[in-house]
Amino acid sequence: MLFSDYSKYKDKRPIISFEIFPPKTDRGMDNLKNELSQLATLGPDFITVTYGAMGSTRDKTLEIASLIKNHFGVESACHLTCVGATKNELDIILQKIYDAGVRNIVALRGDPPEGEKTFIQSEEGYSYGNELVEHIRNFELRTGNKNYFGIAVAGYPEKHLEAPELGTDLANLKRKVDAGADVIITQLFFNNDFYFDFVKKVRDIGITVPIVPGIMPILSAKQIQRITSMCGTTIPQILREKLDAAIDDDDKARDIGIEQCIQQSKELLARGVPGIHFYVLNKSGHMIRIMDALSEDLQKLRV
Ligand code: FAD
């Protein structure tokens, strides 16, 4: 299955995807394999694997995406960024992804290196996500494999942090879709109104591809504060107060996060989203509870 199939497989919708990140250590890798065996039993349509800062996890991203597809039998996607890569290096990576049989790519610009505020284009590389999408589509043509890859790009319901205003960011999102992206996956949000407003504005400027909401179940109050401060996601006041009361209690924060995620997901599903992309943070326990709570909603929508 490809990202381009969101529209084709209407009977499979809503399409459920999980996102994981490559661990830094061998022990982390062993843990991830255990968690993946659990996550795979939840029947996701895709599992996507992020690409670390400065391409630090480049090989691991592909290794894990390949494992997910070839060992666990779940369709996978490699995230790929422009950070620290020349056009030639991108070709080499794309060839490796192709050779491994992984057919989906989440194409991103990437973040500036830690401690820096502005993204610096690498020599002989790219500055923006739309250029990477175009590069991938050109790679397919050069290698005689037109539309081989399904391509997803990132969308920001609360605007990308660097964009002066949402309108500019949406125009830039359109460049990525016009360059050949099949689907948009959103940044995490805790207030569904941001998503529905975003979808309306995206449609108003003529973008028609599916827009899949990205939802992050909270696992720890401190961790989510750190993540949202980096990506600019708003934590609604009521949720913030609950999390403040669980600042040193991860079990409590996790329960709050599960409840929040279930509520958000139920509303999104009821209002007809094409799928949900869960940022699962390499754990399965909370996802088992969440998917269990959503099973009836999903079943009803799939018949
Ligand atoms: P772009 O679409 O290039 O946008 C970046 C900024 O530049 C925006 O402000 C935009 O408005 C502006 N812009 C875009 N195009 C142009 C243009 N042509 N001219 C002028 N301005 C322009 N990061 C990782 O490092 N690894 C990952 O695996 C990863 N996975 C992610 C998955 C998802 C679903 C999401 C939502 C984010 C992910 N990120 C990841 C984070 C992402 O790399 C950052 O948010 C990054 O800052 C922007 O990437 P982008 O592809 O959205 O950039």
Side-chain angles (χ1 to χ4, degrees):
M1 180 170 179
L2 291 179
F3 282 136
S4 48
D5 294 334
Y6 268 84
S7 316
K8 205 159 61 185
Y9 288 96
K10 291 215 169 14
D11 55 333
K12 277 202 104 199
R13 286 172 68 165
I15 286 168
I16 298 298
S17 51
F18 296 158
E19 177 176 311
I20 59 162
F21 57 87
K24 292 201 173 93
T25 61
D26 290 346
R27 193 155 162 242
M29 189 69 182
D30 289 341
N31 287 340
L32 178 64
K33 284 180 187 161
N34 287 334
E35 299 292 344
L36 274 173
S37 64
Q38 296 297 312
L39 288 168
T41 64
L42 300 175
D45 297 289
F46 292 101
I47 300 181
T48 80
V49 190
T50 66
Y51 197 75
M54 296 304 291
S56 52
T57 62
R58 185 177 296 174
D59 291 335
K60 271 209 182 133
T61 298
L62 179 54
E63 182 192 328
I64 298 167
S66 182
L67 181 85
I68 290 166
K69 176 153 185 173
N70 300 315
H71 178 74
F72 291 106
V74 177
E75 197 60 67
S76 65
C78 282
H79 293 218
L80 179 62
T81 76
C82 308
V83 180
T86 64
K87 293 166 192 168
N88 280 342
E89 282 165 343
L90 286 171
D91 275 353
I92 294 167
I93 300 164
L94 288 169
Q95 189 62 47
K96 282 190 186 172
I97 296 175
Y98 175 87
D99 291 341
V102 173
R103 297 203 50 190
N104 293 291
I105 297 179
V106 183
L108 304 136
R109 183 199 69 177
D111 277 322
E114 228 176 301
E116 290 181 33
K117 286 224 156 85
T118 42
F119 180 86
I120 297 165
Q121 178 185 342
S122 73
E123 222 173 292
E124 293 292 308
Y126 293 117
S127 299
Y128 296 113
N130 65 293
E131 296 170 326
L132 180 58
V133 176
E134 200 178 329
H135 184 97
I136 298 169
R137 290 301 181 213
N138 281 333
F139 173 88
E140 292 173 322
L141 291 179
R142 280 186 278 122
T143 54
N145 291 293
K146 194 165 182 249
N147 291 333
Y148 179 84
F149 291 117
I151 303 180
V153 291
Y156 301 86
E158 297 184 60
K159 178 184 91 54
H160 184 257
L161 270 181
E162 293 163 37
E165 36 92 34
L166 186 63
T168 317
D169 207 25
L170 292 178
N172 290 326
L173 176 61
K174 188 159 189 309
R175 292 178 201 254
K176 294 193 276 196
V177 176
D178 290 346
D182 297 302
V183 60
I184 296 163
I185 300 177
T186 78
Q187 183 60 279
L188 61 114
F189 54 88
F190 292 109
N191 176 348
N192 287 349
D193 290 347
F194 281 119
Y195 170 80
F196 293 116
D197 290 350
F198 177 72
V199 172
K200 187 178 176 311
K201 288 179 178 138
V202 172
R203 298 293 177 234
D204 283 348
I205 61 164
I207 297 176
T208 57
V209 298
I211 304 168
V212 180
I215 301 291
M216 182 176 283
I218 296 163
L219 289 178
S220 133
K222 283 182 187 147
Q223 181 192 43
I224 201 64
Q225 280 172 1
R226 195 172 59 249
I227 293 172
T228 52
S229 71
M230 286 189 307
C231 69
T233 295
T234 307
I235 303 182
Q237 181 68 19
I238 297 175
L239 180 60
R240 184 177 291 279
E241 282 167 14
K242 285 188 198 164
L243 289 172
D244 284 347
I247 199 76
D248 293 314
D249 185 344
D250 284 354
D251 286 343
K252 193 170 166 190
R254 194 173 82 133
D255 286 345
I256 295 166
I258 289 171
E259 196 44 46
Q260 163 77 20
C261 179
I262 292 169
Q263 273 180 23
Q264 269 191 271
S265 303
K266 277 182 177 285
E267 190 197 8
L268 290 165
L269 292 172
R271 291 181 63 179
V273 292
I276 301 185
H277 183 72
F278 292 100
Y279 297 97
V280 306
L281 297 168
N282 289 17
K283 295 269 191 286
S284 61
H286 63 317
M287 285 313 302
I288 292 170
R289 285 170 58 186
I290 290 165
M291 291 303 287
D292 188 44
L294 298 179
S295 65
E296 265 185 36
D297 308 68
L298 288 168
Q299 247 164 31
K300 265 190 235 151
L301 290 164
R302 281 176 176 165
V303 288

